[in-house]
Structure formats: structure tokens, C-alpha cells
Amino acid sequence: MIARIVEISLVERFLLCMLGLALLFGGLYAFHLLDIVAYPDPSPPMVELITQNPGWSSEEMERQITIPIEVALTGMPGLKDIRSLSIFGLSDIKVYFDFGTDIFRDRQEVLNRLMSVQLPNGVQPSLSPWWAIAEIYRYELTGSGTTSLTDLKTIQDWQVRREFRRIPGVIDVTAFGGTTKEYHIDIDPGKLISYGVSLSQVMQALSNSNANVGGNYLTVGSQNYNIRGLGLIDDLHDIENVMVTAKDGTPVFVKSLGTVSIGHRVRLGKVGIDDRDDVVEGVVLLQRGYKALPVLDSVRAKVQDLNSWKLPAAVKVTTFYDRTALIHTTVETVTDILISGMVLVFLILFVFLGHFRAALIVALTIPLSLLFTFSMMVLVGQSANLISLGSIDFGIIVDATLIMVESIFFHLAHAKTQNLTVNQHIVRAARQVGRPIFFSTAIIVVAFIPLFTMTGVPGKIFAPMSVTYGFALVGALIMAFTLAPVLCSFLLRGPLSEEDTAVVRVIRRLYHRILGFSLDHRLLVLAVAAGLLFLTFIALQSLGGEFMPALEEGNLWVRATMPVDISFEQAARLTNDIRRMFRDAPEVTTVVSQLGRPDDGTDPTSFFNAEFLANLKPQKEWRSGLDKDGLIEEIEAKLHKIPGVIFNFSQVIQDNVEEAMSGVKGENSIKLFGRDLKTLEAKAVEIESVMRSVKGVKDLGIFRLVGQPNLLIQVDRETSARYGLQVADVNAVVQAAVGGQAVTQVFEGERLIDLVVRFMPEFRQDVESISNILVSTPDGARIPLKQLATITSQTGAFIIYRENNERYIPIKFSVRERDLQSTVEEAQAKLGKEVTLPERYHMEWAGQYDQLKDEQKRLLTIVPVSLLIILFLLYTTFDSLKNALLVLATVPFALVGGVLSLVLTQTHFSISAAVGVISTLGVAILGGVLLISRIEEFRLTGLSLREAVIKGADVQMRPILMATLGAAIGLLPAALATGIGSQAQKPLARVVVGGMLTAAFLILVVLPVLYELVHRRWNDTGE
């Protein structure tokens, strides 16, 4: 079959060349269309519900909003987890679905379930536009000295946000910082008494005085007139002249009862940039399913339009974070690695083949296979990222073509005495190696079954890589059976001589001596090999474990957790001080601080939480000898001088992904589940104390649940009833007089501005003034609030975390200067001994550790299955179980160099390294197939066992060395790379480089010894 494909390709070789050119240009165009992302989104499908009710405590938000919604959502198809957070005025519920579900169907299912939930009046949940890698662009809206913060926020909300949302691929824009405009009516309660007016009358009058009506139409002669009754409030003057009531024919206006002014909403957050303490920030969010780069191009074009003519002259959009820079830097890193790998592989081929045209034919497989891969990825809608592109090993990709061209070259060089055409020699060469090539490539694909079958978070990370590798291998196989023979027919004409190059001659002489010694001292060689395997196993136990190395993004995202009862003003001052500390580091270019949360609630937190984005210079511009860890330690030493504040260091995308997956703002966390909040916090303190003694644990902190001071106004039902008042009547006065209540909205063109009524500040500034607020009774009397209610101060819940209908408290931590696995295992052992939990309380580990353990368990199952399939393919290839097992015996030897390279470079064993092991396994088996196939061929010619082994090993030495060294050299640039985006592929590359270097020696030395030993014992030849 394979020989027939080669024969047809040679007959239609001009057509094949045209198809090759079509692939060249089509692949380049596909690369232009390919969706390239910096990092894949590993989070599961998630629908986030945000419900706000200003003024409500966390307990009330949980009881009346969070729990009813959770109950309604339970039992949805594909539902995996429900995580929620209830905080002052906000309920945030994240609904996680199984991987593979349709996010838009999931959103619709959530909306359907919400229709059955009975919530308090005026409370309406909304779907959050946020997802793990949605934040692609951040900007500051700046103005001149005459442009107020409120004006900027108004322009942001009603103009800039709308403009960005018109861009296809932008789902929303989150506005952070600034002050939201409101119309305020501050009522003097003394004047309410003087005029005999109640607060509810004022609110009702304002609501009734702000409306337009339609009176149908009127026909006047031949014309038709629409009838409109105009009564909308236009400005402050209209508000002041709203009549509340009339006394003895004299109207009582709003302006008689208090002051009317333009103010702003109670602030929930604040943003500072560099030396500017209060600015307006916008965060552009990407729609799921859209390509980041084209959307970012459109965003920048929109910014140019806004700054040129759409915004007021003094107002500008200034960018301080654009993911394009990270993507382009990552692409540059990958491009450098790819080009370096291709050049090195070509040099290896030329050094071993000694023939420029033959090496060129093999090297052409690399770009053509890549272009084939790009075309297929575009056709199936698969995106590309750093891991999927940077981990492609060109040495593995060219193996099929290398073996084919080497065989063709060998036949053509020895064809002087044979009366055959060039094409006939090519077909004979293809027939000889076609079967080993096909089965070896199939074995490599089977070796990637653990990748193809990855699920969950690892599947999201490595699925693009497995698809990319699969397409590249298929493309390389097609090239080997079609284009490579055609190019050989064109370029390998004329007299050819197969002579070893100087390098190969030296290696061959040395190899002959080593092989002869090894075959004469079989037991010694096997003992040394077994010793190496034993040492490798010991070294493997000492390697630390982690899920994935962090992808370097060129920035810092630092979270400061302050005391939960801190005031907004104090938190703002502290945040400004911290931001200036970041500015002291010369490697930092820009520092942005975000205190609290935006008005839309998309970042569910409060004043106790401040987050800092520090953009960094390129590392080549840093101080000599300073790396990222050193910079963090330097900044951390300064920050730790601030008492009572806990810091956590991460990066922008990394932080969002970690929060999306675990529900906790931290790299890793322990979740302690239980019912009582005080018990949870007490046990969390014990856990924190134990964790502090574990080496490697950094950024340790408890997300406190209680400690929020509350002023409780408990209405006395009997006393209120004697005055004809219900509980709702008293609470309504408290809500409006103290917190303020939006009674209507004022139109400003297309803008809607809340009109808020409340008491003047001096009548609601302390407990005493609140106690003296007068409540109007139905008969006109006014009773002080303290006579109708008991007013006390009490500490309550600040924030309530829930997961799958259980409360929990998170203890977050990071791991630095040590591997994750051993750190967590030590912590688990200590916690098991030193912390005793009450009945029905339990701990769970969230973050990278649980993902690492889950994937390790899965690999322990799927890798043996893959090896069984490979064994079956090997048996099919050789029709011999002994030979199949012999080839499979090369697998553990290939691990020797991989583990050694991790030990020497002090690299932890991660899922990335495991993928490198899988890649190494495939190439090692390929080398074994080539060697044993050739030995079997020579034995069939009548050679003795020893002669067949020596001659087969001698003939296959060059192709095996080219295959293994090519695989090692192809990923050497990735193993040594230090640029942004190189971290995730380093463990993979280092395993392949080290594994291939030792695999070459072990395949060419240990496998011949094993083959002779096994076949001599079984006496297959009758010797």
C-alpha cells in the first residue's frame, strides 16, 4: 500500500509539486487566520450571577438571596459545583458546569431556573460578563483640571462603554473608580416638623412629579397633532420646585425642606495610577469564542477615534495594559525557538548525511508540516498557544521523512550495478522502510493517548498541544510518503556515494568498540543499565512535584488583604502608600491600585481588599543579577513592614484563572467546611499557625468571616403597634433617612441619573443622631426611633463563603522556594496530627495541588493502557511477542536522561514534564523498531545471530542517532529559553533533550545486548 502511494506520487510528481506550493501559500494564509492566544483558558464553563441590594448585611444577602438561588440552581444538567460569596450589599454566585458543555446553553438553563426564585422586591440578579481570561485591555480616562472625577465617570458609563460594546467580540466594559453622579436632596428633619410633613410624603411627591404622559392625538384641520404631557424633571431648579404639600393654601416646596445638590453615589471602590490617587479605569472584556488579537486591533482603532473626535477635547483614553504585547512577545519567543530548532535540526542532518540536498529535503518537512498543521487547526477551529506551538519537536516531526530519505539515499548510492531507474530504486527503498515508518508513527500517536484523553483543567491546557502534535505527525507522514520521494527524484540524480562524514566515521569507530565490548560482557552491561534505572527511580522520588510552571507575563499582580473592618478612607490612604512603595523598584514602569469593587459588582470584594498591577520592564533592562523571585523578595520585604496587611503575589492572567477555578483569591487554598462561622474562624487560626511552620509556604492568610461592626436597630413590634406602625414602616424610615433611597431617576439626554433622598449628614452621623430620628405615625405624631426600637452595637459576619450548599472559610497560601507537592504533603501530615476538627467539619485542598493529584491518578491508569496498545502494534509489526517486548524495554531507559536533566536543572516534575516523557517514549520506541527490524532482515539472509546484531546495529546507527539527536537538538532552544512565555514548555523540553541523549546510547548498546541474550536463550536459529 505504501509503495503504491510512493509510486503514484512519482508518476504525478508535477501535480505533487503544485500541491506542495498550494500547501505553502495556503498554510501561510491559515497562519494569518489562526487564533493565537498567550495561554489557554483552563477553567470549566462558568456562569456567574451578581445580585446587589445596597445596605444589606452579608447574613441577609445569604439568607434572602444567595441560598434561594442556590437551591433553585441545584440539579441542572451538567452542573458540577456552585460557589457563592455573600458580602455587604452583594451576592456573587459562580455556577460551574462539566467540561464540554455549551456555555450558552448553560447560561440559558440558569436564566430559566431564576424565573422560579422568589426574591425581595426590587432585587434582580444579572449575569456577569466576566470569565477567566476575559480582561484583555485596561485604560485610564483622563481629563483636564476642569474635568471632575464625576464628569469622567459619567462619560465612561454613558459614552465610552457604549462605544467599546459596539465592537464585535467585546461583551462589556467594567468601569472601576471615579464617582457616579447622583442628584441629592438632603432633608432637614427639623423643617419636616415645622411644616408638618413626613419623609414618605417627600418621596412620594418627587416620584409623582417626574413623568411624561401621552394624550393620543388631535386632528386640527388637515394636520395631526400628537398630545404630550411634559412633567419630567430636567434640572436642580425643577427638583427644588417640586411641591410636597400645601398648608393653608401655601405650597411647601422641596427647597423649603432641605438642600438640593449634585453629588455622587456612596463609593464602593477607588483606583490609583502611579502618583495619581483617584482616577477612572475601564476594563475591556472579551466575548467567549472570539479571537483576542483581532478584537484588540478593533479596540485600539476605537480608542483612536475616541481620542480624535468623539470625546470632549480635554478627555482622553490612555492605555496601561494591552494583552497584545504579551501575545506578540510570546509569539516572538516561540518563533525564535522554532527557527533555532529548525536550523539546529538541519545542521544535525547535514553533519550525519554529508549531502546538502538530502538534508534539505528532510529539513523541508519541518515548515511544510507546520503549514499543514496551521491549515488543519484553522479548519477545525483550534486555537494555538505557547504550549501547543513551542513544544513541537522538529526532531520527532522529521523522523519519518528522515528514515525515508536515508533509505532512498542508501539505495541510490549502491545502485551502480543494478539495471533499475531512479524511480524504481525509490519505490524499492520505500517498500523496505514504509512499514516501519507507518507503524512507528502510529506508535508515536498512540504514545500521545494520555494527552488526547486528558480531561478537566489539564485537558484544556494540553488539548491544543495534542491536536497540534497530531496534525504535525500526520502532515509529516504524508510528506514522507508523497513529497519526499518526489523531491528525491528531482534532487538526488547523478552519481551518489554513501560515505560517512568525518563525524560519523569517528562515532562509528567508537561505536564498534563499545558494541563489541558490550556483546562480550552482556551481564556487566545489563547490570550497569539496571543500576542506572535504579538511580533514576531514586532521583525521581526526590524530584518535587507541581502542576504547571507559571507562565511569565511580564507583570506582577499583588493582593493586599487588610483588616475586614477598615474604613474606606483609611484603606484608601494605605493603598496609596503601598502603591508608592512599588514605584521605588526601578524595574517597575507603572503601578495601578484597585481598592474595593466596581459599581457593577463584577469583582466581589470590599474595602479590605486592594489589588495592584505592576507592569515591569523587559528583563534585560533589570539590575544585574536580579530575577523575578529576587524582585518579589525585595518588594515583599518593604511591604511586610506594614502591620496587619497580608500580601499575595501573582500575575494578571494567572490570578484570574486561579480565582475562576477555585473560587478563592489565591494561588492555593485550604477550604474548611462547617456551619458555625466563629468555629470556622477559630479552627482556621489553628490551621494557619501550623502552616506557618511548613517550609516553602508564603503569602499565608485567612479570609476572615466575622469581625464586621454592625449597628443593629431591632424594631419593638408591640411598641410600634401601639402607635399604629408596622415593622416595615419603621425600617423604611431608617433606610431612607440614614442610607438614602433613590426615589426616581432624572433624564439627562440619554443618561439616567438617580435622585436620592436622605437626611442631612449631621442628623445621621452617629448613634445618638440616628436614635433621635423621628418616625411619623398615621395620626400625625412623631416618635423618636429609640422609643420604637432597640439600638445596639454588635459584631457580625463580614463575608460568607459557600460551596455546594456548605459554608466554608478559605486559608490561602502560595509556595515559593520549594515544590508544591512535598510542601502540601508535609502540611497535610502536620495538620492531621496537630489540628482536630469538630464533627461534620472537614478540609479540602483547592488550587493546583488537587489538579496535580487528579492528573497523576489518571496517568497511572491511562499510561499502562497506552503501553498495551503499543505492545499490540509492535506485535503486529514483528509478528513476535519477544521482539515486541524487547522494543518496549527501551521505554524505561529513555527516562534516565529525562530525569537526570530535571535533577541537574533543579526543575520540578510537572504535568509539562510528564508530557515530555510521553514524547520521549514515542521516539525511543521508533529507534527500537528500526534496530530490531534491520537485525531480523539480516538474520533472514542467513547471517548468524552475532553477525546480524552487529551488522544491523552498524547500519542503523546513523538513522537512530539522527532521529534521537534530532529530537534532542530540536527542543534544545526551548530547554534553554528564558524569554516571556518560555516557562511552561521548559520542563517538557528538558525531559526530551535529556531523554533522547541517553536513549540513543541505550538503544544502540543495551538493546543489541538484550536482543542477543533473549534470542540466544530461546535458540530461535537452532544455534
Side-chain angles (χ1 to χ4, degrees):
M1 178 65 181
I2 295 172
R4 182 61 180 161
I5 293 174
V6 173
E7 191 174 347
I8 294 173
S9 300
L10 291 172
V11 172
E12 303 292 344
R13 58 183 186 172
F14 290 104
L15 175 61
L16 259 295
C17 291
M18 292 299 103
L19 291 175
L21 288 174
L23 175 61
L24 173 63
F25 293 106
L28 291 173
Y29 179 69
F31 180 72
H32 175 71
L33 299 178
L34 186 63
D35 180 21
I36 300 177
V37 298
Y39 199 72
D41 174 20
S43 61
M46 184 266 291
V47 179
E48 184 177 11
L49 288 169
I50 297 174
T51 311
Q52 298 197 77
N53 197 8
W56 277 28
S57 68
S58 57
E59 292 101 326
E60 292 306 314
M61 295 299 296
E62 180 197 35
R63 181 185 296 115
Q64 299 195 45
I65 296 176
T66 302
I67 292 178
I69 294 177
E70 285 183 354
V71 171
L73 297 180
T74 302
M76 289 185 297
L79 178 65
K80 185 177 181 182
D81 294 301
I82 298 178
R83 297 181 180 131
S84 66
L85 178 155
S86 301
I87 198 169
F88 180 75
L90 175 68
S91 167
D92 180 82
I93 301 175
K94 291 183 172 70
V95 188
Y96 295 84
F97 292 87
D98 290 331
F99 285 97
T101 60
D102 181 6
I103 182 62
F104 297 104
R105 185 194 64 80
D106 295 337
R107 289 167 66 93
Q108 187 58 52
E109 183 67 27
V110 169
L111 291 173
N112 293 342
R113 293 294 184 104
L114 283 178
M115 295 176 65
S116 64
V117 183
Q118 296 294 322
L119 296 176
N121 291 333
V123 174
Q124 180 61 51
S126 61
L127 294 182
S128 171
W130 185 89
W131 54 293
I133 58 173
E135 299 175 2
I136 59 173
Y137 190 87
R138 292 172 180 262
Y139 62 89
E140 176 192 359
L141 198 64
T142 61
S144 65
T146 59
T147 309
S148 69
L149 203 61
T150 300
D151 292 337
L152 289 174
K153 182 64 161 52
T154 303
I155 294 171
Q156 161 66 28
D157 289 341
W158 296 100
Q159 183 176 356
V160 177
R161 180 169 178 252
R162 290 184 177 186
E163 290 288 340
F164 280 127
R165 291 183 68 182
R166 291 175 54 198
I167 299 173
V170 173
I171 188 172
D172 208 345
V173 176
T174 296
F176 209 143
T179 50
T180 303
K181 183 177 181 179
E182 286 183 340
Y183 287 97
H184 286 173
I185 303 176
D186 293 317
I187 299 295
D188 184 342
K191 291 185 178 180
L192 290 180
I193 297 173
S194 300
Y195 287 103
V197 178
S198 67
L199 186 60
S200 60
Q201 284 180 282
V202 177
M203 295 164 63
Q204 187 64 42
L206 288 165
S207 180
N208 293 340
S209 300
N210 186 33
N212 283 355
V213 297
N216 215 314
Y217 66 88
L218 176 66
T219 302
V220 179
S222 60
Q223 289 184 306
N224 186 61
Y225 285 78
N226 293 333
I227 301 174
R228 300 174 61 202
L230 304 181
L232 287 176
I233 293 173
D234 288 329
D235 51 30
L236 293 176
H237 182 265
D238 287 348
I239 298 172
E240 291 175 336
N241 290 306
V242 169
M243 187 193 75
V244 178
T245 187
K247 298 293 183 181
D248 301 325
T250 302
V252 178
F253 296 106
V254 167
K255 62 186 176 183
S256 303
L257 303 174
T259 59
V260 180
S261 62
I262 295 176
H264 60 78
R265 187 181 298 171
V266 175
R267 301 192 67 171
L268 299 174
K270 186 177 181 181
V271 176
I273 299 180
D274 295 334
D275 57 353
R276 303 183 298 282
D277 294 338
D278 208 350
V279 303
V280 175
E281 175 194 10
V283 184
V284 179
L285 304 179
L286 180 70
Q287 172 72 275
R288 285 181 183 269
Y290 278 80
K291 301 176 183 178
L293 285 178
V295 174
L296 284 165
D297 290 340
S298 300
V299 168
R300 287 191 295 273
K302 179 64 70 175
V303 168
Q304 188 173 0
D305 286 345
L306 289 169
N307 289 338
S308 299
W309 59 279
K310 288 191 174 183
L311 291 177
V315 178
K316 301 292 180 184
V317 174
T318 305
T319 306
F320 62 83
Y321 176 81
D322 185 342
R323 193 180 294 172
T324 305
L326 175 61
I327 295 175
H328 283 169
T329 304
T330 300
V331 170
E332 288 174 7
T333 300
V334 173
T335 303
D336 290 342
I337 291 172
L338 294 180
I339 293 174
S340 301
M342 282 191 282
V343 171
L344 289 173
V345 169
F346 175 77
L347 291 176
I348 286 290
L349 296 174
F350 181 69
V351 166
F352 276 86
L353 289 175
H355 194 277
F356 179 81
R357 286 170 290 168
L360 182 62
I361 293 171
V362 178
L364 282 175
T365 304
I366 298 175
L368 292 176
S369 297
L370 279 179
L371 294 174
F372 175 83
T373 302
F374 297 152
S375 302
M376 296 304 298
M377 291 174 73
V378 170
L379 288 176
V380 301
Q382 178 67 59
S383 63
N385 58 69
L386 165 73
I387 299 175
S388 64
L389 293 179
S391 57
I392 294 179
D393 190 343
F394 298 126
I396 298 175
I397 296 302
V398 302
D399 281 345
T401 304
L402 168 64
I403 297 167
M404 176 66 75
V405 173
E406 202 271 345
S407 178
I408 293 172
F409 188 83
F410 179 85
H411 279 75
L412 292 177
H414 293 80
K416 297 184 176 102
T417 59
Q418 300 177 21
N419 192 22
L420 296 175
T421 65
V422 171
N423 287 358
Q424 289 173 327
H425 281 295
I426 292 175
V427 173
R428 287 186 62 184
R431 184 177 289 111
Q432 185 179 59
V433 297
R435 183 180 174 88
I437 288 175
F438 178 79
F439 276 98
S440 298
T441 304
I443 287 169
I444 292 176
V445 172
V446 170
F448 277 87
I449 284 180
L451 284 185
F452 288 113
T453 57
M454 278 185 174
T455 58
V457 174
K460 294 284 282 187
I461 294 175
F462 290 105
M465 174 191 165
S466 59
V467 171
T468 304
Y469 235 126
F471 285 144
L473 287 171
V474 171
L477 193 63
I478 294 173
M479 302 302 152
F481 292 152
T482 57
L483 197 58
V486 169
L487 292 176
C488 286
S489 70
F490 282 116
L491 299 178
L492 298 185
R493 289 186 174 274
L496 298 176
S497 62
E498 197 218 3
E499 295 181 359
D500 289 342
T501 63
V503 173
V504 175
R505 284 196 297 271
V506 172
I507 295 175
R508 195 179 296 278
R509 284 197 298 268
L510 180 63
Y511 177 57
H512 284 165
R513 290 197 291 268
I514 294 174
L515 181 61
F517 176 85
S518 300
L519 291 173
D520 292 336
H521 302 83
R522 294 192 296 269
L523 295 181
L524 175 62
V525 170
L526 294 180
V528 171
L532 285 174
L533 284 178
F534 179 75
L535 291 176
T536 300
F537 178 77
I538 298 299
L540 188 60
Q541 304 306 309
S542 66
L543 282 177
E546 63 182 4
F547 180 66
M548 277 288 292
L551 171 70
E552 177 56 46
E553 301 176 31
N555 58 56
L556 287 174
W557 186 267
V558 184
R559 180 176 294 105
T561 305
M562 295 171 274
V564 295
D565 59 348
I566 193 170
S567 68
F568 177 80
E569 291 75 16
Q570 176 61 24
R573 285 193 291 270
L574 196 54
T575 300
N576 293 338
D577 293 339
I578 295 172
R579 195 177 64 251
R580 292 185 181 96
M581 290 182 181
F582 279 99
R583 293 281 293 165
D584 293 338
E587 289 74 20
V588 175
T589 58
T590 304
V591 183
V592 182
S593 62
Q594 295 180 173
L595 173 66
R597 67 175 184 254
D599 289 344
D600 60 8
T602 49
D603 189 4
T605 185
S606 189
F607 313 143
F608 74 97
N609 184 80
E611 297 172 349
F612 301 85
L613 166 62
N615 288 322
L616 305 177
K617 295 178 181 178
Q619 197 153 1
K620 61 184 179 182
E621 300 178 19
W622 290 18
R623 284 168 286 171
S624 177
L626 185 66
D627 59 7
K628 185 79 169 284
D629 290 337
L631 179 62
I632 291 175
E633 289 179 7
E634 185 180 290
I635 295 174
E636 195 174 26
K638 295 179 181 178
L639 296 178
H640 279 169
K641 296 177 182 178
I642 304 173
V645 182
I646 300 170
F647 293 92
N648 184 80
F649 287 79
S650 186
Q651 300 176 105
V652 175
I653 300 176
Q654 179 185 349
D655 181 78
N656 285 336
V657 168
E658 290 167 350
E659 183 180 353
M661 291 193 297
S662 68
V664 177
K665 291 178 178 291
E667 184 176 324
N668 295 281
S669 64
I670 302 171
K671 294 180 179 179
L672 176 60
F673 289 85
R675 180 62 194 166
D676 183 70
L677 298 180
K678 292 183 178 179
T679 303
L680 285 173
E681 189 156 306
K683 286 298 175 181
V685 172
E686 293 182 29
I687 293 171
E688 181 190 33
S689 177
V690 174
M691 291 288 289
R692 288 196 185 280
S693 65
V694 179
K695 181 183 177 182
V697 171
K698 306 289 184 181
D699 306 335
L700 181 65
I702 301 172
F703 286 96
R704 300 281 179 173
L705 303 182
V706 296
Q708 175 62 51
N710 293 324
L711 185 65
L712 302 182
I713 303 174
Q714 181 66 50
V715 179
D716 187 323
R717 297 178 185 273
E718 292 185 4
T719 303
S720 298
R722 285 198 296 269
Y723 290 105
L725 294 171
Q726 295 181 342
V727 173
D729 298 327
V730 180
N731 282 340
V733 173
V734 172
Q735 179 181 3
V738 180
Q741 185 168 344
V743 295
T744 187
Q745 291 181 311
V746 178
F747 279 93
E748 290 184 353
E750 296 181 357
R751 304 169 182 171
L752 278 174
I753 310 298
D754 285 343
L755 193 159
V756 177
V757 175
R758 58 185 178 180
F759 277 4
M760 289 180 171
E762 58 266 29
F763 297 103
R764 50 183 171 83
Q765 64 184 0
D766 52 34
V767 177
E768 181 63 26
S769 57
I770 292 174
S771 300
N772 292 320
I773 289 175
L774 299 177
V775 181
S776 298
T777 65
D779 60 5
R782 286 175 170 79
I783 311 299
L785 180 62
K786 60 186 176 184
Q787 295 184 18
L788 301 173
T790 302
I791 303 176
T792 58
S793 178
Q794 191 178 94
T795 299
F798 176 76
I799 188 170
I800 302 174
Y801 294 93
R802 296 172 61 86
E803 182 170 328
N804 296 327
N805 298 313
E806 282 189 279
R807 287 177 169 181
Y808 73 92
I809 182 171
I811 303 99
K812 60 95 177 176
F813 66 96
S814 302
V815 175
R816 292 199 292 275
E817 301 171 5
R818 189 180 177 185
D819 70 286
L820 175 66
Q821 184 172 356
S822 65
T823 303
V824 172
E825 288 174 353
E826 179 185 341
Q828 288 176 331
K830 287 189 174 183
L831 290 173
K833 293 178 181 178
E834 301 179 31
V835 177
T836 303
L837 298 179
E839 188 178 356
R840 291 188 294 275
Y841 283 66
H842 66 279
M843 284 189 296
E844 292 182 7
W845 296 78
Q848 292 192 6
Y849 179 74
D850 62 327
Q851 297 155 13
L852 172 65
K853 300 304 291 184
D854 289 344
E855 189 57 26
Q856 285 177 343
K857 291 178 182 178
R858 194 193 67 84
L859 287 175
L860 287 176
T861 302
I862 196 65
V863 169
V865 173
S866 300
L867 291 176
L868 286 174
I869 298 174
I870 290 172
L871 181 62
F872 172 76
L873 289 174
L874 290 172
Y875 178 78
T876 304
T877 303
F878 297 114
D879 197 22
S880 167
L881 183 59
K882 291 191 296 294
N883 288 340
L885 291 172
L886 282 172
V887 173
L888 209 57
T890 61
V891 170
F893 293 114
L895 301 179
V896 173
V899 173
L900 182 62
S901 68
L902 292 179
V903 172
L904 292 177
T905 58
Q906 298 182 343
T907 303
H908 301 314
F909 192 86
S910 62
I911 302 302
S912 176
V915 173
V917 170
I918 293 169
S919 301
T920 305
L921 180 149
V923 181
I925 290 176
L926 169 63
V929 169
L930 290 174
L931 179 61
I932 291 182
S933 297
R934 188 52 64 94
I935 293 174
E936 289 290 313
E937 288 180 15
F938 285 129
R939 291 186 68 189
L940 290 177
T941 64
L943 294 179
S944 66
L945 178 60
R946 173 64 65 90
E947 291 173 340
V949 168
I950 293 176
K951 189 169 183 180
D954 180 63
V955 171
Q956 292 298 80
M957 183 204 73
R958 186 172 66 179
I960 289 174
L961 282 179
M962 283 194 290
T964 53
L965 294 182
I969 296 298
L971 278 181
L972 184 61
L976 301 176
T978 58
I980 289 180
S982 64
Q983 294 73 24
Q985 61 192 19
K986 270 187 178 181
L988 182 154
R990 287 171 175 172
V991 168
V992 173
V993 171
M996 287 296 94
L997 291 176
T998 56
F1001 174 79
L1002 293 168
I1003 290 171
L1004 289 171
V1005 175
V1006 177
L1007 187 56
V1009 170
L1010 280 173
Y1011 182 91
E1012 185 182 60
L1013 183 66
V1014 169
H1015 282 269
R1016 190 174 296 280
R1017 172 168 294 186
W1018 262 267
N1019 199 21
D1020 285 322
T1021 62
E1023 295 177 0

